[in-house]
Amino acid sequence: EEKTNNSLDYLAYPVIVSNHRQSTTFRKKLDFGHYIFHKNRIQTVKPTVDTKPPVAYTHHILKLSKLQSEQNRIDKIKYENKQLCQKITNAHRGPATVDCWNEYFSKSLNRETRNRELVRITMENQGILKRLGDAKPNYDRRSSEIDWQAHGYSVIFPCAHRACLCSEIQDAISEIQQDIFSQDE
């Protein structure tokens, strides 16, 4: 033990002004006590790098909301399957009837107004159709034919080219025009 104390002859702080307390054995004892305390602290110190795995929380692993939604979905499917099975057994057990009647009646607030408007429009359309059927043409065919001949129009070419027409074509045109006038009378 004397050797260890002799090994601690170094001073943590160099002696600037020497006094009797620095050279006593009491100082050596104090320095040795500090040294042991420091050594124990170094031995008990933990590493600064944490190599442990992260803490596993149960709400990260076991997600209750997902389980609950999955259970609700399964319950809904079971309920729908049960309803379908009941419908199938009722169809097999009972008489053959049609069960797909559309029993929905539209509940419009302005049904009567729309019906009155539809009847009014239908009546107007029928009146217009009757007037169109009773109408006589006011086109005077005879006066337009006379006007046609007075201006000298031909069926094929305008008046300026009438001289170029063959006599056979002009004869055929005049015969057709005579037939038209004879049918009108």
Side-chain angles (χ1 to χ4, degrees), residues 20 43 62 64 66 72 132 141 148 155 181:
H20 69 283
Q43 287 176 355
L62 182 66
L64 294 177
K66 277 192 176 181
N72 287 343
L132 285 174
R141 187 171 168 197
W148 178 271
V155 177
F181 283 120

Side-chain angles (χ1 to χ4, degrees), residues 21-156:
R21 278 181 267 163
Q22 288 177 338
S23 61
T24 60
T25 56
F26 179 68
R27 183 190 110 326
K28 289 182 181 180
K29 286 182 182 179
L30 282 178
D31 282 346
F32 184 70
H34 288 300
Y35 171 73
I36 296 296
F37 177 72
H38 175 69
K39 202 171 183 182
N40 287 339
R41 282 185 66 193
I42 288 175
Q43 287 176 355
T44 59
V45 95
K46 293 182 179 179
T48 57
V49 177
D50 188 12
T51 58
K52 294 185 293 186
V55 179
Y57 296 105
T58 56
H59 67 276
H60 289 174
I61 298 167
L62 182 66
K63 301 192 178 198
L64 294 177
S65 62
K66 277 192 176 181
L67 289 175
Q68 185 178 10
S69 65
E70 185 68 21
Q71 187 62 40
N72 287 343
R73 190 179 69 82
I74 291 171
D75 290 343
K76 183 179 177 185
I77 290 171
K78 283 182 181 178
Y79 174 76
E80 290 173 354
N81 287 342
K82 184 178 177 184
Q83 293 293 327
L84 287 173
C85 288
Q86 285 178 353
K87 287 181 181 180
I88 290 171
T89 55
N90 288 341
H92 283 296
R93 200 178 316 145
T97 58
V98 177
D99 61 347
C100 61
W101 298 108
N102 187 5
E103 298 176 359
Y104 175 75
F105 299 105
S106 63
K107 299 172 183 171
S108 175
L109 297 175
N110 62 351
R111 175 187 290 197
E112 294 82 17
T113 307
R114 285 188 292 129
N115 284 343
R116 282 194 300 267
E117 186 71 18
L118 181 66
V119 168
R120 183 185 64 80
I121 291 171
T122 306
M123 295 297 286
E124 287 178 4
N125 288 343
Q126 287 176 353
I128 291 170
L129 181 65
K130 185 177 180 186
R131 283 196 304 256
L132 285 174
D134 294 342
K136 302 286 184 211
N138 58 3
Y139 174 74
D140 189 9
R141 187 171 168 197
R142 185 169 292 173
S143 65
S144 90
E145 288 292 330
I146 293 169
D147 187 40
W148 178 271
Q149 289 176 354
H151 284 92
Y153 294 129
S154 67
V155 177
I156 299 173

